[in-house]
Every structure is written in structure tokens, then in C-alpha cells.
């Protein structure tokens, strides 16, 4: 199906649905909606206003409503819930049908009082499951897991296991993996369904397992789950408590959601702002100002020191005004090199490619990188001054060669300092237990701006003393 055809098909479908809503042809609309793939419906539902979305959810089958709701954004989810408030029966069915982990994630985004009201619409069993999941610490793996999985005992035969799956597997989050537990519900192993299907019916499950499995602890941070899934390349992983008792499973789709949230948070921090609790569109103006003002004030104070540094060298600048021409060039080069290094190190830490113990490896590599990059910019800087002088674009005086060398040497050391600072600050923050993403590009750039001016004018004093100074 070509992209143009998909676009035309989507537009035609939206127009058809909207026409049926206008005609109030509910019977035909319900029939057509429940023949459309839920994934496609979750893609097009954002094209309708809130009132129309509520109408659609009232007409969806329970399965369609569940699948579409789980695929739309948290903002749309909350609007749907508000719109369905007067349709208690439909709302109750929707909330009870949601997978426990998805329902828990949704409740986490709501105010506490609203969560409590919605929990009253759950069946006693689902309410207990939700309370248990919400009882785990925020950002813990326990909040991600679902208790809907299939577990068997080691003495089961393959035939008994398949029968057990037929009876209890319908509500399982995934059927790719079956879990083996003992009489106390302690996890023994996990086994892929493929191995069960290919085994002889009379063979016992205990003969198929090797007791080598990877499990997550319910109280560990969700970032650990992301790393384990990445390393193990699994669809689902079991979750246990400190005694090895099986509590539930985490599936890869939930981990992908965590990865998206973590990436968004890191991007926001790296841009020089606190991470937003809600989406950009849901965050109020006052909250947005609060989140952004802190770093802006810190960076502003930092830049005040830049002015102070220039004030300290004011007399020297007055003697050689030509030095001031290259201040923007000098400090921007240092800030840019620092931001580059910080970006690379923060991302490598997030992916687990680097650890604190690798600091000396990073230091050596960044020193060499800084020297090479600084040398390259220094050559370009000197060439620019020489070219402008020779071509007559600007007269830098009789000591123009020394001015060019001052700029070149300054660039070498400032870029070197920028790369070292940008690479080491994230490691230092991580050592202190602070999120490395806090070493934002503006923070590193401001630090290098101040110190870069000191380096620049110090080198100028050394090289131009007795000439221009």
C-alpha cells in the first residue's frame, strides 16, 4: 500500500465516520467501527474532537475500546475518561478491561482524588491488583509489571501444560514465555512456548528447563529493566521479590514507554530546564516558567562572571582593542567543544557503554581529541587573520602575526579545556549521585565561557607583552 493511497484511505475513512456521526446513524457506525483494525483507529482518532471521540468509544466493542485506549496519548486518555464520566457502565468496562500495567501507568498521571474515584469502578479483584501495583515506589519495576501470565509446576507434563494454557492463557499479557514455579510460587525457570510445542506430550516440564533465567526485582529502578531488556533481547521478563517469589511480568512494550520517557527527560535537562512532569501542552504557563527559571538564573549568574573576567582585563583590552574582536570566536569555540563532549559522554553513560571506572580512558581520549580539534581550529583562526591582513580586509597592525599566534594558541588550550570539562563533569555528577544529564549544554558552555576568557587574556599577556601590551 503506497503512502498516497494510505493517506487517501485515512481521509476517506475519517470523512465517512464523521458523516455517520452527523447523520446519527449509530447502528451503521458501530458496525463499521468494529470491523476496522484498532491500531488504525488509534491513529485516526486524534483527527476528531473530544465529543466525537467519546461517541466513538461508546460504540466500540470492549476489545476495540481497550486496544485503542492503550494506544492513544495520556492527554487523550484523560479527555476520554472525562467524557465518559456520565456513562458509568462503559467507563467501568473500559477500566476493568485495561491491562493492569497500562491501567497503573494511566492512574499515575491522574490527581490522587480522581484515581480513588475511578478505582471504585473496578471489580474487587482488579481494584486489589491496582492497589498492589500502585503500592510500589514510583519509577520502580513493580509499577510496570502485570500479574497476567501463565505459570506451571515442574511436574506437569507437556500435555497438561498445554491444557493449562488453554484454560488460563486467554488473559495472559503474552504467550511467548511460560513460567515454572514451585509450590511456594518461587520462580524456577522460564521456558519458551516453542520448546513446549515441539516436546513430546508425555515429557515433563522439569526435563525441559535448565534453571538459567533472568529475573527483575520489583523494587529496582525502571532503568535497570531497560538495560536488561536491551542486553537479553527478550519479549518479556519475570518480576520477583527479594525471596524469589514470582509477582508478575514486564513486557517489552512497557519498557519502550519507559525509554521514551527517560529520553524526553534527558533532552529537557540537557536543554537547560528541569524535566516536565506533564507534556508540554498540559504544563501551565506558571509551571513552565518555574521549570525554566532556575537554570536561567544560574546561567545568568555564571555569565556575570564573564563580564567580571573581561572587567579584570579592561586595561589590557584598552591597550590592544584588537583582542576584543576575537572574544566571541574564542568563547564560542570552547563552549561548543564542551557541549559536544558532554553530549557524547552523557549518552554513553545512559546506554551503559561507559562506567565511572572508565574515567581515565575518557580523559586520555578527550585530551587527544581536544589537542587535535584545538589545533585544527587554531590553524583556521590564524589563517583567517593572515588572509584578512594580506588581502587588506582589515589591518591588525605590525604585530598581526603575534595576534594570530595568540588566537591560535588560545583556541588550542580553550578547546582542550572545553573537551576535558564537558567529558568529566557528567562523570563527576554521576559519582555524586546526580543525574549526568544535569550537565546540560548551556551549563558547560557557561563554565567554559568564563574560564576561556581567563585563558585567552592570560596567553595574550604572555605573548604580546612588550609588543601591544
Amino acid at each position: 500500500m503506497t503512502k498516497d493511497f494510505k493517506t487517501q484511505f485515512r481521509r476517506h475513512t475519517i470523512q465517512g465516520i464523521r458523516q455517520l456521526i452527523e447523520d446519527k446513524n449509530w447502528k451503521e457506525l458501530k458496525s463499521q467501527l468494529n470491523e476496522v483494525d484498532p491500531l488504525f483507529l488509534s491513529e485516526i482518532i486524534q483527527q476528531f474532537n473530544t465529543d466525537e471521540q467519546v461517541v466513538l468509544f461508546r460504540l466500540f466493542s470492549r476489545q476495540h475500546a481497550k486496544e485503542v485506549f492503550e494506544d492513544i496519548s495520556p492527554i487523550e486518555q484523560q479527555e476520554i475518561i472525562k467524557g465518559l464520566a456520565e456513562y458509568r457502565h462503559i467507563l467501568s468496562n473500559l477500566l476493568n478491561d485495561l491491562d493492569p500495567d497500562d491501567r497503573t501507568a494511566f492512574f499515575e498521571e491522574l490527581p490522587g482524588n480522581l484515581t480513588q474515584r475511578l478505582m471504585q469502578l473496578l471489580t474487587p479483584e482488579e481494584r486489589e491488583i491496582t492497589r498492589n501495583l500502585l503500592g510500589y515506589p514510583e519509577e520502580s519495576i513493580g509499577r510496570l509489571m502485570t500479574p497476567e501470565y501463565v505459570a506451571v509446576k515442574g511436574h506437569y507434563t507437556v500435555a497438561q501444560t498445554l491444557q493449562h494454557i488453554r484454560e488460563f492463557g486467554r488473559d495472559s499479557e503474552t504467550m511467548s514465555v511460560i513460567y515454572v514455579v514451585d509450590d511456594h510460587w518461587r520462580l524456577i525457570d522460564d521456558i519458551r512456548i516453542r520448546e513446549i510445542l515441539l516436546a513430546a506430550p508425555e515429557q515433563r516440564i522439569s526435563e525441559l528447563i535448565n534453571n538459567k533465567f533472568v529475573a527483575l526485582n520489583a523494587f529496582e529502578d525502571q532503568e535497570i529493566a531497560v538495560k536488561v531488556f536491551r542486553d537479553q533481547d527478550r519479549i518479556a521478563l519475570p518480576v520477583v521479590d527479594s525471596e524469589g517469589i514470582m509477582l508478575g511480568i514486564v513486557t517489552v512494550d512497557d519498557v519502550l514507554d519507559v525509554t521514551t520517557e527517560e529520553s524526553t527527560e534527558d533532552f529537557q535537562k540537557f536543554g537547560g530546564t528541569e524535566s516536565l512532569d506533564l507534556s508540554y501542552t498540559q504544563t501551565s504557563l506558571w509551571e513552565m516558567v518555574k521549570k525554566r527559571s532556575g537554570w536561567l538564573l544560574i546561567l545568568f549568574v555564571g555569565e556575570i562572571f564573564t563580564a567580571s573576567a573581561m572587567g579584570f582585563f579592561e586595561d589590557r583590552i584598552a591597550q590592544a582593542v584588537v583582542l576584543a574582536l576575537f572574544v566571541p570566536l574564542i568563547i564560542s569555540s570552547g563552549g561548543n567543544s564542551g557541549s559536544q563532549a558532554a553530549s557524547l559522554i552523557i549518552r554513553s553513560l545512559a546506554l551503559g557503554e561507559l562506567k565511572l571506572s572508565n574515567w581515565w580512558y575518557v580523559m586520555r581520549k578527550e585530551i587527544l581529541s581536544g589537542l587535535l580539534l584545538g589545533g585544527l581550529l587554531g590553524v583556521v583562526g590564524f589563517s583567517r587573520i593572515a588572509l584578512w591582513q594580506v588581502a587588506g580586509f582589515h589591518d591588525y597592525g605590525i604585530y598581526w602575526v603575534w595576534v594570530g599566534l595568540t588566537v591560535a594558541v588560545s583556541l588550542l588550550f580553550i578547546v582542550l579545556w572545553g573537551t576535558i570539562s564537558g567529558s568529566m563533569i557528567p562523570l563527576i555528577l554521576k559519582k555524586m549521585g546526580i543525574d549526568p544529564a544535569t550537565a546540560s549544554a548551556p551549563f558547560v558552555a557557561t563554565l567554559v565561557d568564563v574560564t576561556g576568557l581567563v585563558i585567552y587574556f592570560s596567553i595574550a599577556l604572555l605573548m604580546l607583552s612588550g609588543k601591544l601590551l
Side-chain angles (χ1 to χ4, degrees), residues 228-243:
V228 174
F229 267 88
R230 186 186 301 122
D231 293 342
Q232 299 296 323
D233 192 24
R234 301 291 295 272
I235 296 174
L237 282 172
V239 181
V240 299
D241 63 11
S242 56
E243 297 180 354

